[in-house]
Amino acid sequence: MSSGRDLFSLNDRVAIVTGALGLLGKNHCRALRDAGATVIVADLNGKACEGFAAELGGGALGVGVDITQRASVESLLRSALSARGHVDVLVNNAAVNDMFESPTAGAELSKFENYPLELWQKSLDVNVTGTFLCAQVIGAEMARRGQGSIINIASTYGIVAPDQSIYKKPDGSQSFFKSASYPTTKGAVIALTRFIATYWGEKGVRCNAISPGGVENAQDEYFVKNYAAKTPLGRMSRPTELAGALVFLASEASSYVTGSNVVVDGGWTAW
């Protein structure tokens, strides 16, 4: 009989993480490695992926990928299978979030009335189509083998609407509005998660989502204060605080969990 510690072990597992060079992506890679997995570091910049994989150790492999292109995702899978023989875990972490060149531009372009169609389309391409393609290509290989865990990184904004008031400065002005594209795409990711879970359940492939709340990343002090005031735990998440949920969903500890959305938000969505 497996011990509680063994249930969370990822020894002999191979895990692909997309968007692996970002703040959360790097922490996902470290958490999986620390649990025993061999990690495939996947992001747009192949050389940087190789560098981080070398830093990560544990047999990690760095592979460049454009998740919006099926041929690129297929190449990622071939590289993983050639180097490691199988894939057990897929973390669909890659996503885009709005960035504007200046506060003035952001104040106007982020408004719903003015939001550019090209930014909307880019979010759909990466956050939804990219997640779809990775799950379709890599998940099909898992289904062929009869086992696997797909973990889609969603967001609390896929569950509840953005609270625009937290982006207001102390003087009442606002240089940024959370756009419609991010919550729309993250809501789609949660719906896709349920679809995959029910479609491939009989093939032994589990699919779950993690919905993080706001994560500390050197934001303006006023924003951190505004966010913390609306969170029962009174603070933003540290970048490492998704590790427990991630390893749980990747491991045998969650062997009877599929189609779920694990919310890690300090209670943000509880009120």
Side-chain angles (χ1 to χ4, degrees):
M1 183 175 179
S2 297
S3 68
R5 185 182 297 274
D6 290 341
L7 284 174
F8 290 90
S9 172
L10 296 177
N11 289 339
D12 302 321
R13 305 288 178 90
V14 176
I16 294 176
V17 179
T18 68
L21 298 180
L23 175 69
L24 291 182
K26 286 186 174 181
N27 279 284
H28 295 334
C29 290
R30 294 184 184 107
L32 294 168
R33 175 208 59 193
D34 290 349
T38 299
V39 179
I40 310 294
V41 177
D43 212 315
L44 281 168
N45 188 326
K47 287 293 184 184
C49 287
E50 292 172 7
F52 181 62
E55 175 189 326
L56 198 63
L61 177 71
V63 181
V65 66
D66 179 349
I67 64 167
T68 68
Q69 302 298 317
R70 182 182 177 87
S72 185
V73 177
E74 289 173 340
S75 178
L76 166 63
L77 176 60
R78 286 194 300 270
S79 296
L81 294 178
S82 175
R84 300 295 180 260
H86 55 95
V87 176
D88 305 282
V89 179
L90 167 64
V91 182
N92 279 315
N93 173 71
V96 294
N97 208 346
D98 290 325
M99 298 291 291
F100 296 94
E101 292 181 0
S102 71
T104 303
E108 289 304 309
L109 292 179
S110 63
K111 288 181 179 178
F112 182 60
E113 300 90 331
N114 304 329
Y115 190 70
L117 179 60
E118 58 267 29
L119 292 184
W120 170 265
Q121 190 62 58
K122 183 178 180 180
S123 291
L124 289 173
D125 289 345
V126 177
N127 299 3
V128 181
T129 302
T131 299
F132 162 79
L133 284 173
C134 289
Q136 184 185 56
V137 171
I138 299 167
E141 170 61 19
M142 292 178 173
R144 186 192 67 78
R145 290 184 64 231
Q147 64 180 50
S149 174
I150 299 172
I151 304 166
N152 297 326
I153 306 301
S155 169
T156 52
Y157 281 168
I159 307 168
V160 297
D163 184 343
Q164 302 292 353
S165 70
I166 66 174
Y167 302 98
K168 287 185 177 180
K169 297 179 179 180
D171 64 5
S173 65
Q174 192 159 343
S175 60
F176 177 78
F177 294 83
K178 195 67 178 181
S179 73
S181 64
Y182 193 75
T184 299
T185 56
K186 291 303 186 179
V189 166
I190 294 170
L192 179 61
T193 297
R194 297 186 181 114
F195 171 86
I196 295 168
T198 56
Y199 184 80
W200 271 331
E202 64 181 14
K203 299 290 188 180
V205 178
R206 298 184 296 108
C207 185
N208 295 284
I210 297 176
S211 285
V215 179
E216 293 175 355
N217 190 22
Q219 294 96 336
D220 290 328
E221 184 178 351
Y222 76 86
F223 173 80
V224 175
K225 183 178 179 180
N226 289 345
Y227 191 96
K230 293 181 175 291
T231 308
L233 291 186
R235 62 177 177 84
M236 298 186 77
S237 168
R238 292 181 284 272
T240 57
E241 288 186 303
L242 296 179
L246 184 74
V247 172
F248 168 68
L249 292 177
S251 69
E252 285 303 304
S254 61
S255 60
Y256 198 57
V257 179
T258 196
S260 293
N261 179 29
V262 179
V263 182
V264 186
D265 69 347
W268 173 273
T269 54
W271 58 20

